[in-house]
Amino acid sequence: MRQQWVLELRRAILIEATLLVLGLITGQLVPIVILGNALYLTWHLNNIRRMEIWLEGRKGGKRKKLYHPPDASGVWGYLFQRIYFLHQQNRKKKRRMGARLNDIQLTLKALPDGTILLNQDLKILWFNPVAAQLLNLIEPNDIGRPLINLVRSPEFVKFLSRRDYKEAFRFNSHNNKDKIFLVRVRNLSNKHLLVIIEDISERHIMERVRSDFVSNVSHELRTPISVISGFLENLMADENNCPENWKKPLELMQSQSQLMKQLVDDLIMLARIEADDTELPEEEVMLQGLITEIVGALKASDKEERATIAYEIPDNLSIIGYRNLLYSIFSNLISNAFKYTPKEGQIKVQAFHETNRIIVKVSDTGPGIDAEHLPRLTERFYRVDRGRSREIGGTGLGLAIVKHSLLRHDAELRIESTPGRGSTFACVFPPERAGIGVSANVLEFMPKLAVDGN
Amino acid sequence: MDKIEGKQHISKRFDDELGELRSFVLNMGGLVEQQLVDAINALSKVDSALAAQVIENDYKVNRFDVRIDERVTEILVRRQPTASDLRFVLAVIKTTADLERIGDEAKRIARMSSDLSDNTRLPSAMLQIRHLGSLVQEMLRNALDSFARTDVETAICVARQDDTVDQEYESIVRELMTHMMEDPRKIPATLEIMWSARALERIGDRCCNISEYLIYYVKGKDVRHITLEQLEEELKR
């Protein structure tokens, strides 16, 4: 059915030829030609009229569906059919796209988080019911309005205008008190923005409840334990009245209650670190002095012979942070090294700059740790070998404290270990935490390299 | 409700300018909302650090005031708006002034909290202040929302809430007076709390003003200085 107009052209030529012949035969050339062409023209004009009426007459007003086309012959019949066909195709395509759009919208509606689509002027293009509920947005009125006109918190406005959305943003809702939202924004390729809002109020409350619980329990346990410990000390000190075969049991009881006290202290410290206690003051802490102090304290409380320890700590290296937390970090790492390294072994503490960051490494020549345990090492109470750990002692919370304390300094812990050769625990502090390195206290000046041997 | 927003301007730029002006005002509104929240928290928790922050941030509110006035003057000179656009600009001027005053009241409340010391707290009064505070916060939020959405219904809501706020204020004053009579030593602290309550009540009045400006802009009717019933009557017409 191609080239309908060619067929029509042929028909037209045939009609003209016929008219000419008829005209010549009857001798009425001009009238016949004029009349014939008038009829032919009328036929065309009539079809044009029908087409116009047909195209204008839509079913159902808004839905714009064309009626079935009128019957016509020749090229007009073809045109009617063709237009109708294209029209139908178009409608089918729209229906398909509509269905797909509907699917997408249903999906987005079903998401548990609030979703808002913004254009590059931060005006609202679309939002789902969860977003409406969390931020008190009204559909459809708020479409087209700038989001910051309705969510006006200055911090949120600053965050949204920043255009750099790597980090998520937490803010307290003004509309619903006590609700805390986590907002993430993504730049879409067509310059639009996708804003995702998650309600983390429950999570926040639960974290707080858990942390308070641990804290409360630990505090409550402190008193009974110190009562027990105190009396045990008295009993043991009373040499005369203490039966011989009670001495060993009492000693064991005392060491166990010391362990409980240590555990409770560690739990309280961990809870306090996690609770994001911003009351602690930040200061510049000289590393050399700190490490020397720690090792001194550890040695004083420890009667046994231990491995040798060497330091490589420049005297001008310092970290800006919380002194007591830094003390815990390095104290835990070094005391672990002492605990798990045999007395013939070597422990090394190094501190240095590396591409702007400060790294403090504690390495030992102990038995090492299998690779499978490394990811879980900083879990609370995680033990590689329960039996050995029970003998060696400790609360099982040391590395957890180290990890959380490092987190408070925006630092990270890297653990490397070769079974049979030894382990290295490295603390990596970001550039913002590096101090200017001027030691105010003259007494903290120490020689650059010191080897502690007995 | 009149369809103010639907009108198109021959110059689309003018449309955008008015939209920007609206956002500007709401930006200031957001800051003032935050100041109010912080001031009330500083007072009820006697948090001097938070109070200091509120007092310091007041300069930002004032800066907004100045900048918005500059922008408005520019628009009046260059565009010479008429009819509803002119009403809008007038509403903006007045709203900005009231927002700036609300900022000042918030600063005043924050100042009270740094004057109070820990052992002069009155827990029951504080509870009522908090309640009054959240009512007023809601009023401010509604007033600004009605401005953002050009929504007369919400604006009327604000006018209604003002009565509740006034009643709350009066009951707080009565209770505080009983405290003062019971224990004269508590008078200084109680007076501080009373001024805070007054400041909150005045913020409520200003929120009412803002909603009246909005109604004026939308309906072209000046509904200030009339009672709530008369207001609702007027708007039905």
Side-chain angles (χ1 to χ4, degrees), chain A residues 136 142 149 152 174-175, chain B residues 5 23 33 141 144-145 149:
Chain A
N136 276 16
D142 286 340
N149 279 15
R152 298 180 285 264
H174 279 332
N175 297 326
Chain B
E5 277 179 300
S23 288
E33 279 181 297
R141 189 167 56 246
L144 292 171
D145 277 348
R149 297 190 169 119

Side-chain angles (χ1 to χ4, degrees), chain B residues 25-41:
Chain B
V25 174
L26 288 166
N27 226 331
M28 182 185 182
L31 176 61
V32 172
E33 279 181 297
Q34 185 67 53
Q35 289 281 80
L36 181 58
V37 166
D38 288 343
I40 297 171
N41 279 336

